[in-house]
Amino acid sequence: MGRLPRVITISVLVATSFLPAACGSGVREPSPSRRAADQVTWVTGFGAFGREAYVYVAQEKGFFQEAGLEVAVQPGQGSGENLAAVLGGRAQFAAVDFTATLISAAGGKAEGAVAVAALHQRTLAALMALDGSGISAPKDLEGKTVADAASSVISMMFPSYARLAGVDASKVKWVSLEPAQLAANLASGQVDAIGQYVVGRPTVSNAAKGKEVTVLPFGDVITDLYGSAVTTSTKVAAGQPDLVRRFTGALLKGLAYAVDHPQEAAKILVAKQPTQNAEVAAAELTLMAGYVRPDGGAPMGTMSRERVERAITALSTAGALEEELTPDSVVSFDLVPKG
């Protein structure tokens, strides 16, 4: 009996020490030595397809939490809308096709937006058609109807692609559809081709019940282009550089994990977005693996001033840029990941 009070005292202390972690959602309460997580909004490049799974991986694996961040994810509607979200302050970060940033900046529509990391080291932009459509080469697009999201980079790039590929762009009809409608409308024959990232082939094939898909990659015609980039405003880049570095570091960690573990990443995506197909999502991530890692062992996310200069020159030569640009006007190289 003389030992009982000591046992009770120890038990109470142990139980009390676990109370903060057991309350609410399980997130630990801020303490004087640990600041509250920074709230961040991320806009995906295009919907919530398999290629976007990496942000949910970064959430699920705790990469954002480790960086002191709490990230809300919003499905994107294409590069134009995503740029508007960043410039309008509705999101701190968004996936924006870097070519769209260049074209928009040269047209005075992206002032105040900068890339801080490359998600894809090569452009993923492409057009896709199904077997039997009569489209097997760029020239076959003439007289056909192509669908894409209204603000997609693919429609922005098409005039330059057409010029270099020998296609009369005036003979191609474009219609606007929501991202989730594209594959279904192609499968039903409502349109002849759709704008799509090359990694979207499994999604298109699945919607078309396994029918053969023809892919016309823009990168075959327009070289030196990066794909999507983590994009923010100059206000955030200049005023919160530590936030930018923490966010991009955690996001790229999620990207690396997702392409290295596509099946697991696909399951994480489906848990967050139940309408997605895990098998198709894993196939998209497998295809994307070859696009996200730089050559020569450079760190993931890197962007070089020289290559951006070459991309600007290529687009300018193709007639895609209304005004002259400099690499430093569209990329915050101080914040780009370095070895």
Side-chain angles (χ1 to χ4, degrees):
M1 291 296 292
R3 298 175 56 191
L4 184 58
R6 180 175 297 176
V7 173
I8 292 174
T9 301
I10 294 173
S11 299
V12 170
L13 287 173
V14 172
T16 303
S17 69
F18 281 95
L19 283 176
C23 295
S25 61
V27 177
R28 293 182 298 175
E29 295 290 331
S31 72
S33 62
R34 182 179 62 254
R35 69 182 184 185
D38 289 309
Q39 308 292 311
V40 170
T41 297
W42 165 255
V43 181
T44 71
F46 202 57
F49 299 109
R51 70 205 76 159
E52 310 290 351
Y54 57 91
V55 67
Y56 299 108
V57 170
Q59 281 183 327
E60 184 67 21
K61 292 295 180 180
F63 301 153
F64 288 136
Q65 185 179 15
E66 291 169 3
L69 301 170
E70 185 174 324
V71 179
V73 181
Q74 296 180 359
Q77 295 293 316
S79 293
E81 289 295 326
N82 288 6
L83 274 172
V86 167
L87 293 173
R90 299 192 301 276
Q92 287 85 359
F93 303 97
V96 179
D97 194 289
F98 187 61
T99 303
T101 298
L102 294 176
I103 294 173
S104 298
K109 299 176 182 177
E111 184 177 355
V114 288
V116 292
L119 293 166
H120 311 129
Q121 292 294 316
R122 293 181 288 138
T123 180
L124 274 64
L127 295 176
M128 293 189 187
L130 298 179
D131 186 38
S133 67
I135 299 174
S136 60
K139 189 70 174 175
D140 298 330
L141 294 165
E142 294 180 1
K144 300 297 195 297
T145 298
V146 180
D148 202 358
S151 64
S152 170
V153 67
I154 295 170
S155 59
M156 293 183 195
M157 292 174 66
F158 184 72
S160 299
Y161 170 79
R163 186 178 297 109
L164 294 172
V167 177
D168 186 344
S170 68
K171 295 182 180 179
V172 181
K173 180 182 178 181
W174 284 78
V175 296
S176 297
L177 293 172
E178 293 297 314
Q181 299 174 325
L182 291 170
N185 275 261
L186 181 66
S188 65
Q190 298 300 304
V191 296
D192 302 303
I194 58 173
Q196 187 65 249
Y197 273 179
V198 294
V199 297
R201 185 173 187 167
T203 296
V204 174
S205 179
N206 182 65
K209 302 187 184 306
K211 205 168 186 178
E212 189 66 28
V213 178
T214 297
V215 182
L216 302 177
F218 282 18
D220 289 351
V221 176
I222 311 175
T223 59
D224 278 323
L225 301 180
Y226 286 101
S228 291
V230 179
T231 304
T232 189
S233 66
T234 53
K235 180 179 179 180
V236 171
Q240 298 176 281
D242 177 65
L243 177 71
V244 174
R245 291 189 178 96
R246 285 187 287 128
F247 176 79
T248 55
L251 186 72
L252 292 171
K253 192 173 180 180
L255 178 60
Y257 192 95
V259 297
D260 285 344
H261 306 85
Q263 282 76 26
E264 182 184 353
K267 290 179 181 178
I268 291 172
L269 171 70
V270 172
K272 301 280 188 176
Q273 300 287 342
T275 61
Q276 297 301 312
N277 180 300
E279 182 178 353
V280 171
E284 283 202 6
L285 289 167
T286 299
L287 286 174
M288 196 167 76
Y291 289 84
V292 301
R293 297 190 187 281
D295 296 330
M300 187 173 284
T302 190
M303 300 179 77
S304 78
R305 185 176 278 100
E306 294 74 19
R307 188 171 163 198
V308 173
E309 182 66 55
R310 294 199 303 269
I312 290 172
T313 299
L315 291 172
S316 181
T317 301
L321 304 183
E322 296 179 25
E323 302 289 342
E324 291 185 4
L325 294 175
T326 64
D328 291 274
S329 69
V330 287
V331 180
S332 181
F333 288 103
D334 288 343
L335 296 175
V336 169
K338 298 174 179 63

